[in-house]
Amino acid sequence: MRKKMLREAACGLCAALVILSCGCAKRETAAPPVPPTPPQVAEAPAPTAVSAACEPTRNSLYDQGVCSFDTGEVKRAMGLWRTAAGTDPDPAVRRKALFAMAAVKLAQANTDAEMAAAMEMFDAWSKASPPGGSGEEPRFLLPALRNLKPAAALREQKAALERECAKKLAEREEQVRKSVQQQVRALETIHQQIQEKKKGLINN
């Protein structure tokens, strides 16, 4: 009888657990669906400033050179100007191209030879240019003017270099003098040792 009661109690407990679990399942609500991530919209690149020389209507070799210069293609600009200076039928355009090349060469000059080559081009432009010029673009000279130094600054730089050279020369001379003195003392020591040995041999 007791065992029967225990079985019934166990069955009742299991039934209660099943009912409770079903009730909990009913109370749970499904999680809301996650909305899809909107696609990334690429930002449009900022418009770049275009030189007036790059306009389609201005397609001469000189204008193409100015456009290349403005966009940083200096080597290409020099080639276009070189062609324009030798082949353009308009003398004014040829002079403008020559002036542009001379100015850029002056700005890029790092040696006396390069400076001389730039000045030769300026001389050629000056001889061919009428009074007042022919519409040359002065802004090509700005990089060269930024690198120029006043004559007083150049003299001070030269004097500083001379002082530095004199200081290094004096230091080198002092090193040589000390080295010679050490060698002389070493030779005197050797000579003295030889003399003492000779005296010892004679006395014996």
Side-chain angles (χ1 to χ4, degrees), residues 40-62:
Q40 295 288 337
V41 179
E43 296 183 359
T48 56
V50 179
S51 170
C54 299
E55 295 177 359
T57 56
R58 303 178 61 177
N59 56 2
S60 68
L61 290 176
Y62 173 77

Side-chain angles (χ1 to χ4, degrees), residues 1-18:
M1 184 69 179
R2 186 177 179 182
K3 290 182 179 180
K4 184 179 180 181
M5 291 177 64
L6 287 175
R7 283 199 297 271
E8 291 177 354
C11 291
L13 181 60
C14 290
L17 289 174
V18 170

Side-chain angles (χ1 to χ4, degrees), residues 156-175:
E156 177 59 28
Q157 185 179 9
K158 181 180 178 182
L161 290 174
E162 290 176 349
R163 290 193 297 268
E164 184 67 19
C165 289
K167 179 181 177 182
K168 290 184 177 180
L169 181 61
E171 291 175 352
R172 181 60 180 166
E173 289 178 349
E174 180 64 18
Q175 291 176 355

Side-chain angles (χ1 to χ4, degrees), residues 10-194:
C11 291
L13 181 60
C14 290
L17 289 174
V18 170
I19 292 170
L20 287 174
S21 62
C22 291
C24 292
K26 288 180 180 179
R27 290 191 189 96
E28 291 179 355
T29 58
V34 179
T37 304
Q40 295 288 337
V41 179
E43 296 183 359
T48 56
V50 179
S51 170
C54 299
E55 295 177 359
T57 56
R58 303 178 61 177
N59 56 2
S60 68
L61 290 176
Y62 173 77
D63 289 328
Q64 291 178 30
V66 175
C67 181
S68 297
F69 179 85
D70 288 341
T71 55
E73 298 177 275
V74 179
K75 187 175 181 180
R76 183 172 185 272
M78 290 291 283
L80 292 167
W81 287 333
R82 188 176 296 107
T83 304
T87 63
D88 197 286
D90 188 349
V93 174
R94 293 199 300 269
R95 287 191 295 267
K96 287 196 297 184
L98 186 59
F99 178 86
M101 284 193 298
V104 173
K105 270 192 169 296
L106 180 65
Q108 295 178 339
N110 292 318
T111 63
D112 292 340
E114 292 174 349
M115 180 70 74
M119 294 311 299
E120 285 181 5
M121 297 184 75
F122 271 119
D123 289 339
W125 162 79
S126 178
K127 292 175 182 177
S129 181
S134 56
E136 287 77 4
E137 179 59 75
R139 66 192 174 93
F140 295 135
L141 280 173
L142 291 178
L145 295 176
R146 292 191 186 101
N147 294 329
L148 290 179
K149 293 183 179 180
L154 292 176
R155 287 195 296 269
E156 177 59 28
Q157 185 179 9
K158 181 180 178 182
L161 290 174
E162 290 176 349
R163 290 193 297 268
E164 184 67 19
C165 289
K167 179 181 177 182
K168 290 184 177 180
L169 181 61
E171 291 175 352
R172 181 60 180 166
E173 289 178 349
E174 180 64 18
Q175 291 176 355
V176 172
R177 186 184 65 81
K178 289 181 178 180
S179 177
V180 171
Q181 287 179 346
Q182 291 176 355
Q183 292 177 5
V184 169
R185 284 196 292 269
L187 289 173
E188 289 177 349
T189 301
I190 294 172
H191 179 71
Q192 185 177 359
Q193 291 175 351
I194 292 174

